[in-house]
Structures are given as structure tokens and as C-alpha cells.
């Protein structure tokens, strides 16, 4: 009996996906664990593995097809010993749609609607002068009128509110444009102003278009949802980095033989995780009418990938060593850019960190990644004048901004988390204790 391969749900929020690429072709034999296709989900491009053995009898959905619903038939596998052509036809029959019945003349007559009286053409709206006596006319139409010697005062505009547009100028040049009626009464002022119209007819700017990927659509939807439904509160602190940079240098010297090199971000991930455990009121999430308080700190780390952004997770970052965090982060980031992450490696997390310091960004406000209730935005470490022991000195200063869901986290609790984070980064041995 043929096996129907259906579009899998590769993430909890996936409703449809793009069948980006087939890794097999019709006639190929496959066994459990073989890679069949690359599927672009709402999160990332993931590989789809076979769970059954057999021969690819028919590929139903071509690669590159968008908006394939979860559960839709995408291919048919013939089991061992089964006729491949028969399996292919059987799959087509089961997946096909019923044919439409032919339409008879009587049925067509019965279904045809009765002819209606032709509607009277809508009268052209006479352009109403603006408050300073000028005629309503688009910039492009005005230029064309000047070039072609068309009298704007003699035309009736067909645009919004009687505005003269390019089409009216073209019609006037051909002698088909309606002109103002001298006896016509002035048009009444509308009760409400017409909706603004796009200026696509006025300007033709060279451009290219590209269809949004599933990931980009999801990013747009989730960020819009986050800003519309989550009341953000932003808290910023300036943090002295010199002790952390010195500790990092010393640790890297000892870890060199193990092939480990700590980044500043590795230490900041650890600092945020420890801070969340010290201020548990910020390690929370809103779930309907309930507040969840998490017992460990799983840090989602923003990683830029081709076509979007993904947040692989360092689980239990509060209890892991810096070398373990560094090794795991490098592995996750590498596989994220290759689209090789597994669902549990980017789904979840109790809080997020986004570091744009490598781009020279001094500070920024990050958007919360729901259902999480906070995200830490990290700016660049810069040499700045700074007061140390009541004297003005030069120090490496970094700005960090926490974005908090004000429904779940009070401002005082967010401020306490920022204070603890600052103390841990400025005295980094405390996060290793």
C-alpha cells in the first residue's frame, strides 16, 4: 500500500511552509533517516527526514512551492515489492480533486443572471480649489500640463476629491477629457475627508521586488504583535567593562590549549542568567491570566542569519561554565546560519540577549520576544571619560538597555535586575562563584 508523505509541522506555530528543495527524485530508494527535502518554516529552513522505507513513486508538490498547508500531500512512497507506477496512480487518485460536471445549455440559462440596466456612469468630480485658490492637481499632472500646454482650469479631475491626475492630462491631450461645466453648481463639501491615496501614479522610482520568505513574514507578524500587545518599559545603565575584559584575556590564555576562546558575549550571557536567578521576579512569562516564574535561566541569543534572525538557546546558562557556554554558542550559531537547528534548540527560552556592539551601535531598545517578558540590548564598549574614585578618567563603557513587559515586571524589579547585571559585569568574578 503506498505511503502518503504529508507536509510536517516542524514548529508549534507552523501552519504552512515552503517546500524549498527536494533532496530526492522519483525512483530513488529511501530508508528511515534519509533526508527527503528542505522545508522553510515560520522559523527557519529545516531538513525533513524519512521515517519509512521504500521508493519515491511520485513527487506531488514541486520544490519552490509556497504556502503548502501542514498535512497536505507532498509525495508518495511505494513500499518494498510494490509496483511504483501503480502506487503513483493510486496516490494521484486519492489526492486528486473531483472533476467539475459539464454545464448544459439549460443549466447555463438557469444559472445566468437576468440582464440588468446599464449603470449610469458616475459624473466626474469637479476639482475644488484649495483655500488659496489653487486647483487640486498631482505634481506629475502639473508638470505634464505645463509641458503639453493643457489648461488645468478647464479640466475635471478624476482623482480623489476631484484631483487632476496624469490620466486626465493624457485624455485632455487626446481630446477625450471632460471639461468643467460653467453652469454646474459647486460640489458640496464632503462630510469627511477622502482617504489618502498612494502616490504610485505620481512617481515611478526604479526598484526591485522580492517575495517575503516565511521567516520574514513571521518576524513581521511577531514583532508587530509584540509592539501592539506588550507594554514595553526600557531601563538603561552604563557599565564599566575593563575588569571583564581583563578577566576574559586571562581566561583565554588558560583555555587556549583546549581550543576555547571566550567572547565578551559569552560572559554577558552568563551575567544575564545569574542576574535572572538573583532577581526571579524578572525570570517570568505571562500565560493568559497566569504568571509563570522559571526555576532556571535559559537565554535566547539573537543570531543574524541570511533572510532574518533566529534565537538559539543556551539552556541552564546560570549553572554552565563559561567554556561550556562558549563552545555551545559557537556550535548553535554555526548551525543556525546553515539552517541545521533542531526545533528544541530555538523554541522556548526565559529571556533574550541581543548584542549589536560589534556594529558600533552605542545603545538601542530591543523588542521583546513573546512569550518572554524581557530582553537585554547590548551596545558597543567604548573608551569614554568616566568618574572613578572621584576623579575623571578614561574607561571602557558599555550601555545596556533592558526591555521589560510591564504587565509582568514592575519598574522597580526591572531596575533591580539592571543593577545586579551591572554589578556582575563590573565585578565578573562574582558570576563565577
Amino acid at each position: 500500500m503506498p505511503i502518503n508523505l504529508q507536509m510536517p509541522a516542524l514548529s508549534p506555530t507552523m501552519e504552512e511552509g515552503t517546500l524549498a528543495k527536494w533532496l530526492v527524485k522519483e525512483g530513488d530508494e529511501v530508508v528511515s533517516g534519509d533526508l527527503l527535502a528542505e522545508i522553510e518554516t515560520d522559523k527557519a529552513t529545516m531538513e525533513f527526514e524519512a521515517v519509512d522505507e521504500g521508493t519515491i513513486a511520485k513527487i506531488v508538490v514541486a520544490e519552490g512551492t509556497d504556502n503548502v498547508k501542514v498535512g497536505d500531500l507532498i509525495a508518495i512512497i511505494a513500499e518494498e515489492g510494490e509496483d511504483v507506477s501503480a502506487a503513483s496512480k493510486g496516490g494521484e487518485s486519492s489526492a486528486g480533486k473531483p472533476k467539475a460536471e459539464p454545464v448544459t445549455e439549460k443549466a447555463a440559462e438557469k444559472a445566468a443572471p437576468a440582464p440588468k440596466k446599464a449603470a449610469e456612469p458616475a459624473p466626474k468630480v469637479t476639482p475644488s480649489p484649495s483655500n488659496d485658490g489653487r486647483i487640486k492637481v498631482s505634481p506629475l499632472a502639473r508638470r505634464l500640463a505645463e509641458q503639453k500646454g493643457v489648461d488645468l482650469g478647464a479640466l475635471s479631475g478624476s482623482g480623489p476629491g476631484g484631483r487632476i491626475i496624469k490620466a486626465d492630462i493624457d485624455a485632455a491631450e487626446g481630446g477625450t477629457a471632460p471639461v468643467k461645466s460653467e453652469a454646474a453648481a459647486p460640489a458640496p463639501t464632503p462630510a469627511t475627508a477622502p482617504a489618502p491615496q498612494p502616490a504610485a501614479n505620481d512617481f515611478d522610482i526604479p526598484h526591485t521586488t522580492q517575495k517575503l520568505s516565511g521567516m520574514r513574514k513571521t518576524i513581521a507578524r511577531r514583532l508587530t504583535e509584540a509592539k501592539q500587545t506588550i507594554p514595553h518599559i526600557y531601563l538603561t545603565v552604563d557599565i564599566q567593562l575593563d575588569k571583564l575584559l581583563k578577566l576574559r584575556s586571562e581566561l583565554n590564555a588558560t583555555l587556549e590549549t583546549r581550543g576555547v576562546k571566550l567572547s565578551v558575549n559569552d560572559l554577558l550571557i552568563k551575567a544575564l542568567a545569574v542576574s535572572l536567578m538573583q532577581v526571579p521576579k524578572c525570570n517570568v512569562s505571562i500565560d493568559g491570566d497566569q504568571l509563570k516564574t522559571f526555576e532556571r535561566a535559559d537565554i535566547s541569543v539573537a543570531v543574524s542569519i541570511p533572510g532574518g534572525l533566529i534565537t538559539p538557546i543556551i539552556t541552564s546558562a546560570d549553572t554552565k561554565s563559561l567554556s561550556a557556554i562558549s563552545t555551545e554558542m559557537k556550535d548553535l550559531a554555526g548551525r543556525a546560519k546553515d539552517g541545521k537547528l533542531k526545533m528544541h534548540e530555538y523554541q522556548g527560552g526565559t529571556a533574550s540577549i541581543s548584542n549589536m556592539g560589534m556594529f558600533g551601535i552605542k545603545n538601542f531598545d530591543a523588542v521583546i520576544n513573546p512569550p518572554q517578558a524581557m530582553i537585554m540590548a547590548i551596545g558597543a564598549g567604548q573608551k569614554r571619560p568616566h568618574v572613578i574614585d572621584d576623579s575623571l578618567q578614561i574607561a571602557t563603557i558599555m550601555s545596556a538597555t533592558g526591555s521589560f513587559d510591564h504587565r509582568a515586571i514592575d519598574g522597580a524589579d526591572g531596575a533591580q535586575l539592571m543593577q545586579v547585571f551591572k554589578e556582575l559585569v563590573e565585578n565578573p568574578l562574582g558570576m563565577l562563584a
Side-chain angles (χ1 to χ4, degrees), residues 2-321:
I3 301 168
N4 290 341
L5 286 182
Q6 298 175 321
M7 181 62 133
L10 298 177
S11 76
T13 58
M14 179 177 171
E15 296 178 356
E16 60 183 30
T18 297
L19 210 158
K21 183 180 181 181
W22 279 108
L23 304 177
V24 294
K25 60 183 182 299
E26 292 181 2
D28 285 355
E29 294 185 0
V30 296
V31 298
S32 179
D34 283 354
L35 298 179
L36 301 180
E38 291 180 356
I39 295 175
E40 185 180 295
T41 73
D42 58 347
K43 298 290 185 180
T45 299
M46 303 180 68
E47 293 171 336
F48 177 36
E49 295 183 358
V51 294
D52 299 293
E53 297 182 2
T55 303
I56 302 296
K58 184 170 184 62
I59 291 177
V60 178
V61 176
E63 65 178 38
T65 303
D66 296 328
N67 306 321
V68 182
K69 300 291 184 183
V70 170
D72 281 0
L73 180 67
I74 59 174
I76 301 164
I77 294 180
E79 292 184 311
E80 185 177 357
E82 187 176 6
D83 184 81
V84 173
S85 60
S88 173
K89 292 178 182 178
E92 286 179 348
S93 174
S94 63
K97 296 180 180 179
K99 295 181 179 178
E101 292 294 329
V103 181
T104 64
E105 291 184 9
K106 288 185 178 180
E109 289 176 2
K110 186 176 180 180
K116 295 181 180 179
K117 183 180 178 181
E120 293 292 331
K124 292 287 183 178
V125 180
T126 302
S128 55
S130 60
N131 292 337
D132 57 4
R134 292 181 297 174
I135 298 296
K136 287 185 180 179
V137 56
S138 72
L140 177 59
R142 186 181 295 279
R143 289 199 304 272
L144 290 175
E146 291 174 356
Q147 294 171 6
K148 299 178 180 181
V150 176
D151 181 8
L152 292 174
L155 295 184
S156 289
S158 61
R163 189 176 189 227
I164 297 175
I165 60 176
K166 177 180 178 292
D168 300 322
I169 304 301
D170 293 339
E173 186 183 23
T176 60
V179 297
K180 276 186 186 177
S181 172
E182 295 297 332
T189 304
T192 57
Q197 299 294 318
N201 291 333
D202 295 342
F203 303 100
D204 186 14
I205 302 173
H207 66 279
T208 61
T209 58
Q210 182 179 3
K211 189 173 183 179
L212 292 179
S213 66
M215 179 183 295
R216 180 56 59 187
K217 288 178 184 176
T218 299
I219 289 172
R221 175 178 55 80
R222 286 176 60 82
L223 292 185
T224 301
E225 175 189 348
K227 290 296 285 186
Q228 288 179 341
T229 63
I230 298 176
H232 286 55
I233 179 174
Y234 305 103
L235 304 173
T236 302
V237 292
D238 286 338
I239 303 173
Q240 188 177 341
L241 280 183
D242 296 284
K243 288 184 180 179
L244 182 138
L245 295 175
K246 181 180 179 182
L247 175 63
R248 171 179 173 260
S249 178
E250 293 172 350
L251 290 173
N252 279 337
T254 61
L255 292 171
E256 186 175 3
T257 56
R258 293 161 53 182
V260 177
K261 185 176 182 180
L262 303 178
S263 69
V264 171
N265 208 47
D266 296 331
L267 278 76
L268 297 179
I269 292 169
K270 177 73 173 182
L272 176 57
V274 174
S275 300
L276 287 168
M277 298 309 293
Q278 291 188 23
V279 189
K281 289 184 178 180
C282 292
N283 197 28
V284 296
S285 173
I286 287 280
D287 184 11
D289 59 354
Q290 296 181 330
L291 180 70
K292 292 181 179 179
T293 301
F294 300 106
E295 297 179 358
R296 71 184 192 204
D298 293 354
I299 306 300
S300 301
V301 184
V303 174
S304 178
I305 62 175
L309 185 79
I310 197 166
T311 51
I313 302 166
I314 303 293
T315 58
S316 302
D318 54 302
T319 59
K320 286 181 177 173
S321 67

Side-chain angles (χ1 to χ4, degrees), residues 303-305 312 328-338 341:
V303 174
S304 178
I305 62 175
E328 188 174 338
M329 193 62 239
K330 286 181 175 63
D331 173 61
L332 289 170
R335 288 192 290 116
K337 292 177 180 179
D338 293 335
L341 288 180

